[in-house]
Amino acid sequence: MGSLFRSEEVCLAQLFLQSASAYSCISELGERGLLEFRDLNPKVSPFQRRFVGEVRRCEEMEKTFTFLQQELRGAGRVPGPCSESPRAPAAREALRVQEQSEQLAQELREVTRNRASLRGRLRDLRQYLHVLREGQRFTSLPAPLGSPPRPRALSEREPILDPSLHQHLERKINFVTGVIHPWRVTAFERLLWRACRGYLVASFVEMPEPMEDPASGESITWVIFLISYWGEQIGQKIRKISDCFHCQVYPYPESEASRTDTITGLHSQIQDLSVVLEETEQYLAQVLDKVALALPTWRVQVQKMKAIYLVLNQCSFDVTEKCLIAEVWCPVQDLTQVQDALRQGSYQSGSSVECFVQRVPTSESPPTLIRTNKFTAGFQSIVDAYGVASYQEVNPAPYAIITFPFIFAIMFGDVGHGLLMFLFALWMVLYEDSPRLRQGTNEIWLTFFEGRYLILLMGAFSIYTGFIYNECFSKATTIFPSAWSVATMANHSSWSSAYLATHRSLTLDPNVTGVFQGPYPFGIDPIWSLATNHLNFLNSFKMKMSVVLGIVHMGFGVVLGVFNHVHFQQRHRLVLEFLPEMIFLLALFGYLVFLIFYKWIKFSAADSLVAPSILIHFINMFLFTSNAENLPLYPGQVPVQTVLVVLALASVPVLLLGTPLYQWCRQRAPRMPVSMGEQEPLLEGQEAGNSVNATKEDVESGGHNPDAKHLDFAEIFMHQAIHTIEYCLGCVSNTASYLRLWALSLAHAQLSEVLWTMVMRNGFVRLSYVGGVVLVPVFAAFAVLTVAILLVMEGLSAFLHALRLHWVEFQNKFYVGAGYKLCPFAFAPDTWE
């Protein structure tokens, strides 16, 4: 992973592709994913490019594939992803794919249309059969014996054509029968009554079995209606109303014999149609099996073929040489693989002339390529979210692998919470190859999964800082014996029974021999968890620790800028920028770190009462004064502080005027030719190039073309003035910003202690049987609140603050982040799925 510390060397190259082998060469390059192609026809419309016909053919095949996929989904089949990634098809194979897909689509259309026709015919026959059966019940049922004569049929279950009525009827009774949607029955009946003024008898009954609605595809229970009427005009009205309500009307035979014959014929037709429909369904299933087997592979092949032709449309055509020319950004170390891919593509196409690659000098800034693996990808994503590194700029990601989890752990230090986070991340790491974890649809879960190694390190570092703070779910652990002896203090003091009764808090005096035996071996002494001034002690400790770590972190960022200055051959910036920046930072805030450590070393617990205040000394340092009440830490402290402030103030004009004056002097000085190996430093604000990507004229003229415009001195000075003001004020504000380590660490500890005191301790109030029973739900509530509040909410808060400290306080000391990623042309498997 040599490229992790700095982006790889990328050069501009030209590919010379023979027309016969261009397709195969691009296909081979896409399988390897090495090159980023540039569009050499930016002003040419997509419809006027050379391979627009092939692209349209691919789009037509994609439309066919979309139809096939819709048919599969309509049949309840979901086409799975392609098990293996097939290569882009050759021209003859592409024609075969197109013919087979169109043939299958045509077969599906015909079979689907025939099946729909058969289903509709079978549905009509079954509805007609149910209509005749229900009509038989209404019209042919004999009158019950002994029943009194009725002038008309008033019930749905009583016969309309009662034999006793025939002799009184002078006109012929006609019938209209059919089926109607159940939602329309009420409106249909009401309109019939109003339009026909009661000159009809209508009967409605539900069909015995549900049937499919051809309009919506839903299975519904249709309603059969039987309407008897007198007069032709009434019949015409009934038929028009039935058409308006989209009723399916069927002919109703007049005689019972005709109805019986019709029912017998319907039975035979239904049986024949059922057999034909079953065979059609079987044939359709066979066609769908063929589609489900071939469609995933076809989709991948056609999408790859379309991507290849889109790349070929970006190439220029050389009429004289009869070849295609492509411009690409290529990593220098991959040039041999590119040439091997071109040779392989020429061999596959059967061309006798090989294609080749040639590097081209350029003054453009190449794209950034930083290769990552599954461990470093999460940390690189954090850096890229701020901005992609400029070409061959120092990459902050490898340093963030250590500093980011450590700064997070300072704010999240707890052995118990860190262990839970570590175990959760370890589970994701151990089962990272599981498809269930990788193919989740929850975006929040995928974010956690992608950062599993980052969470793993954050949990491990939190365990370490938890041991430093001596906190495990806010409770101290006694790994070693305490360095403070209460028994010694009781034996060698004037603590009487009356004194102990009146003083609830007792002070341990380290000046008494044997009370304080030296520092605790590792971390904070557990006796501090019992002290009433526990919070005051931790405030002082964590505040100073935050300042020390913050200044070290910022100083490390300034030092990393040296590697940029040396790599881009801007050595004047070492003296004119790096040196005054370090003097300003160390003379003021580095001296503050020195005072903190000096006070820790010089003053022990025995003489801590006479220790002076560092804050007052630091304020007096800027005011060039001294305070008689605040004793000096060492002899000659005031002159030393005065010299340091003068050095810091003197470095500001150097930082402000040094680089602009140097650039101005270089512009006025006569230009001397330099050799190829001695490229002059670039001007401020100019993109740093590499010797591979610079023309010979650029190198000989010191990185400028002879006709290049001189940079405006006012613009250079303004840029440097902004940088100076930002750095000097940033040293103050950024140092104060690192105090968030102290604030969030105390907040996490206090919140954990409140959760223990308010929830978990209540389960230990009673040690009887009742207390044990109560402890179960209390512990459940404690566990849920610990995960929800302390792990999730506090963890996200500490993560965001650590992210801000890296982006704003650390990376702005050396990182520009004005580049753009190298996006190679590749056939990624995830894209096709």
Side-chain angles (χ1 to χ4, degrees):
M1 298 302 294
S3 65
L4 186 62
F5 298 93
R6 193 184 300 277
S7 62
E8 287 192 21
E9 186 178 356
V10 178
C11 67
L12 186 66
Q14 283 186 339
L15 303 181
F16 293 88
L17 309 172
Q18 297 297 323
S19 299
S21 59
Y23 179 87
S24 299
C25 292
I26 299 298
S27 174
E28 187 67 28
L29 290 173
E31 295 292 342
R32 304 193 183 191
L34 302 174
L35 307 176
E36 178 182 347
F37 286 83
R38 303 177 67 187
D39 192 0
L40 299 182
N41 309 304
K43 298 182 179 179
V44 180
S45 170
F47 303 101
Q48 297 176 349
R49 302 205 177 190
R50 184 175 181 82
F51 298 95
V52 63
E54 287 78 0
V55 174
R56 286 178 175 174
R57 188 179 66 177
C58 295
E59 291 176 349
E60 290 297 327
M61 284 192 284
E62 287 180 343
K63 292 180 181 178
T64 304
F65 297 159
T66 302
F67 168 75
L68 296 176
Q69 187 173 4
Q70 290 176 351
E71 291 296 322
L72 284 176
R73 291 178 177 175
R77 303 187 183 187
V78 179
C82 188
S83 57
E84 56 183 12
S85 179
R87 300 182 67 88
R92 182 177 300 176
E93 187 179 356
L95 289 175
R96 181 185 60 82
V97 171
Q98 185 178 11
E99 291 176 359
Q100 291 182 356
S101 62
E102 291 179 352
Q103 181 180 358
L104 284 178
Q106 183 64 26
E107 289 183 6
L108 271 180
R109 291 188 182 95
E110 292 180 358
V111 176
T112 304
R113 184 170 57 250
N114 293 338
R115 184 187 63 173
S117 177
L118 290 174
R119 283 184 174 180
R121 179 61 179 162
L122 185 61
R123 182 179 60 253
D124 290 342
L125 292 177
R126 287 177 176 173
Q127 288 180 351
Y128 192 18
L129 179 62
H130 287 297
V131 167
L132 291 180
R133 286 178 176 174
E134 293 297 329
Q136 285 277 71
R137 184 186 307 172
F138 285 119
T139 59
S140 301
L141 187 65
L145 296 176
S147 61
R150 297 181 301 271
R152 63 179 63 184
L154 300 177
S155 174
E156 294 182 352
R157 296 300 177 183
E158 294 174 351
I160 296 178
L161 297 183
D162 194 333
S164 61
L165 297 177
H166 277 289
Q167 55 185 341
H168 302 288
L169 295 177
E170 299 178 356
R171 295 186 179 182
K172 178 182 177 182
I173 299 178
N174 298 315
F175 294 93
V176 175
T177 57
V179 294
I180 186 174
H181 196 282
W183 294 353
R184 305 187 183 117
V185 172
T186 303
F188 180 64
E189 187 176 7
R190 185 181 299 114
L191 186 58
L192 283 176
W193 180 261
R194 292 179 178 178
C196 301
R197 299 187 180 185
Y199 290 99
L200 56 84
V201 177
S203 299
F204 297 91
V205 64
E206 289 187 351
M207 193 176 293
E209 59 177 345
M211 291 189 181
E212 182 183 6
D213 184 5
S216 62
E218 299 178 354
S219 180
I220 61 175
T221 302
W222 296 89
V223 174
I224 300 173
F225 62 88
L226 178 66
I227 305 172
S228 59
Y229 63 91
W230 293 267
E232 187 61 30
Q233 292 183 353
I234 299 297
Q236 293 177 359
K237 288 183 179 182
I238 294 174
R239 290 184 178 85
K240 288 180 180 180
I241 294 174
S242 301
D243 293 338
C244 292
F245 280 86
H246 303 284
C247 301
Q248 183 68 34
V249 179
Y250 297 99
Y252 191 79
E254 297 181 0
S255 62
E256 186 174 355
S258 301
R259 290 194 292 271
T260 304
D261 295 341
T262 305
I263 290 175
T264 305
L266 288 176
H267 276 294
S268 61
Q269 293 182 27
I270 289 174
Q271 291 179 357
D272 296 340
L273 280 178
S274 299
V275 174
V276 176
L277 181 60
E278 183 179 358
E279 294 178 355
T280 305
E281 294 279 0
Q282 293 177 357
Y283 181 70
L284 179 61
Q286 296 176 1
V287 177
L288 290 176
D289 290 338
K290 295 180 182 178
V291 173
L293 183 63
L295 183 59
T297 303
W298 286 350
R299 289 185 60 212
V300 174
Q301 287 180 325
V302 172
Q303 288 176 351
K304 286 185 176 182
M305 183 169 62
K306 181 181 178 182
I308 293 172
Y309 283 121
L310 290 176
V311 170
L312 290 175
N313 277 335
Q314 298 178 357
C315 304
S316 64
F317 184 70
D318 191 344
V319 181
T320 58
E321 301 294 336
K322 295 182 179 180
C323 66
L324 293 171
I325 301 176
E327 281 192 3
V328 295
W329 291 112
C330 175
V332 173
Q333 72 172 18
D334 293 340
L335 282 172
T336 54
Q337 296 188 41
V338 173
Q339 187 60 54
D340 179 68
L342 295 178
R343 188 181 301 111
Q344 187 72 18
S346 301
Y347 173 77
Q348 292 176 359
S349 64
S351 176
S352 58
V353 181
E354 288 188 0
C355 304
F356 61 94
V357 58
Q358 179 181 356
R359 296 172 63 173
V360 180
T362 180
S363 59
E364 296 184 38
S365 177
T368 301
L369 173 61
I370 299 176
R371 303 182 195 266
T372 58
N373 53 29
K374 60 183 180 181
F375 176 76
T376 60
F379 299 93
Q380 189 64 51
S381 299
I382 291 177
V383 175
D384 291 343
Y386 175 81
V388 179
S390 301
Y391 178 63
Q392 293 209 324
E393 185 183 19
V394 171
N395 183 25
Y399 314 105
I401 294 176
I402 300 299
T403 59
F404 191 93
F406 181 67
I407 288 179
F408 170 86
I410 293 173
M411 299 178 280
F412 198 75
D414 191 288
V415 176
H417 301 155
L419 183 62
L420 292 178
M421 182 178 292
F422 179 82
L423 293 177
F424 171 67
L426 184 63
W427 170 72
M428 289 192 292
V429 169
L430 294 178
Y431 294 94
E432 61 184 5
D433 295 330
S434 173
R436 290 182 57 191
L437 300 183
R438 286 187 170 274
Q439 299 176 1
T441 56
N442 192 319
E443 186 176 355
I444 297 178
W445 163 253
L446 292 178
T447 302
F448 282 119
F449 183 75
E450 292 298 326
R452 57 192 181 278
Y453 289 98
L454 175 61
I455 300 175
L456 185 74
L457 289 184
M458 291 192 303
F461 277 76
S462 297
I463 295 174
Y464 168 74
T465 55
F467 279 114
I468 294 293
Y469 298 155
N470 200 357
E471 289 184 1
C472 181
F473 296 110
S474 78
K475 309 309 292 180
T477 56
T478 55
I479 302 176
F480 304 99
S482 174
W484 293 83
S485 175
V486 180
T488 305
M489 184 69 190
N491 295 331
H492 296 82
S493 66
S494 59
W495 289 355
S496 62
S497 300
Y499 183 85
L500 294 176
T502 55
H503 293 78
R504 299 186 61 182
S505 299
L506 302 175
T507 303
L508 300 180
D509 188 0
N511 292 317
V512 178
T513 304
V515 173
F516 181 68
Q517 303 170 1
Y520 192 68
F522 184 78
I524 294 178
D525 199 308
I527 200 173
W528 281 106
S529 63
L530 304 176
T532 56
N533 58 343
H534 170 61
L535 191 58
N536 294 333
F537 170 74
L538 287 183
N539 267 336
S540 176
F541 165 72
K542 292 185 177 180
M543 181 173 61
K544 294 175 181 177
M545 175 194 65
S546 302
V547 172
V548 171
L549 293 177
I551 294 173
V552 172
H553 198 210
M554 291 190 297
F556 178 63
V558 176
V559 171
L560 287 179
V562 174
F563 298 96
N564 282 334
H565 304 332
V566 173
H567 178 78
F568 295 132
Q569 300 182 7
Q570 298 173 337
R571 301 183 185 276
H572 67 280
R573 301 181 68 175
L574 295 175
V575 179
L576 301 178
E577 292 189 15
F578 168 71
L579 192 58
E581 287 177 354
M582 287 302 295
I583 290 175
F584 186 85
L585 181 64
L586 296 180
L588 299 180
F589 303 99
Y591 179 69
L592 177 60
V593 175
F594 165 76
L595 292 181
I596 292 174
F597 280 98
Y598 185 83
K599 182 179 178 181
W600 280 344
I601 294 172
K602 183 177 180 181
F603 297 93
S604 63
D607 54 354
S608 60
L609 292 177
V610 297
S613 173
I614 296 178
L615 183 59
I616 295 178
H617 275 304
F618 197 61
I619 295 174
N620 292 334
M621 176 180 173
F622 288 95
L623 300 177
F624 296 99
T625 60
S626 61
N627 192 341
E629 298 179 358
N630 197 43
L631 299 178
L633 288 169
Y634 58 89
Q637 180 179 357
V638 175
V640 171
Q641 293 180 165
T642 304
V643 172
L644 291 177
V645 174
V646 171
L647 282 176
L649 295 178
S651 64
V652 176
V654 178
L655 183 61
L656 177 64
L657 302 175
T659 300
L661 291 177
Y662 175 79
Q663 303 287 2
W664 182 70
C665 293
R666 279 180 50 82
Q667 288 186 5
R668 293 178 60 88
R671 299 185 180 278
M672 299 296 293
V674 294
S675 61
M676 290 293 292
E678 299 177 353
Q679 183 181 355
E680 294 188 10
L682 300 178
L683 299 181
E684 178 69 27
Q686 188 178 10
E687 291 292 340
N690 194 280
S691 59
V692 195
N693 299 316
T695 61
K696 184 177 180 181
E697 293 78 7
D698 291 337
V699 176
E700 292 178 351
S701 61
H704 307 279
N705 290 328
D707 56 348
K709 295 182 180 179
H710 294 284
L711 292 178
D712 189 6
F713 179 77
E715 182 180 351
I716 300 175
F717 177 77
M718 184 60 65
H719 182 276
Q720 190 65 26
I722 294 174
H723 172 71
T724 303
I725 296 172
E726 181 183 7
Y727 179 80
C728 295
L729 295 181
C731 285
V732 181
S733 63
N734 294 348
T735 304
S737 183
Y738 276 94
L739 292 177
R740 70 185 66 239
L741 300 177
W742 156 52
L744 266 77
S745 176
L746 286 178
H748 182 81
Q750 292 302 307
L751 195 59
S752 180
E753 184 175 353
V754 168
L755 190 60
W756 177 275
T757 304
M758 301 296 292
V759 179
M760 194 62 187
R761 195 174 65 177
N762 293 330
F764 296 104
V765 173
R766 297 181 180 180
L767 298 179
S768 61
Y769 175 78
V770 178
V773 174
V774 173
L775 186 61
V776 176
V778 167
F779 176 76
F782 173 78
V784 171
L785 292 176
T786 298
V787 173
I789 298 177
L790 295 179
L791 287 182
V792 178
M793 295 178 59
E794 279 287 314
L796 289 176
S797 175
F799 178 87
L800 292 177
H801 285 281
L803 192 65
R804 182 245 154 79
L805 290 177
H806 277 78
W807 281 358
V808 180
E809 278 72 29
F810 173 62
Q811 291 180 187
N812 68 348
K813 300 296 186 297
F814 67 97
Y815 186 67
V816 178
Y820 60 101
K821 282 187 178 182
L822 178 74
C823 299
F825 170 68
F827 299 137
D830 296 339
T831 305
W832 316 122
E833 294 178 5

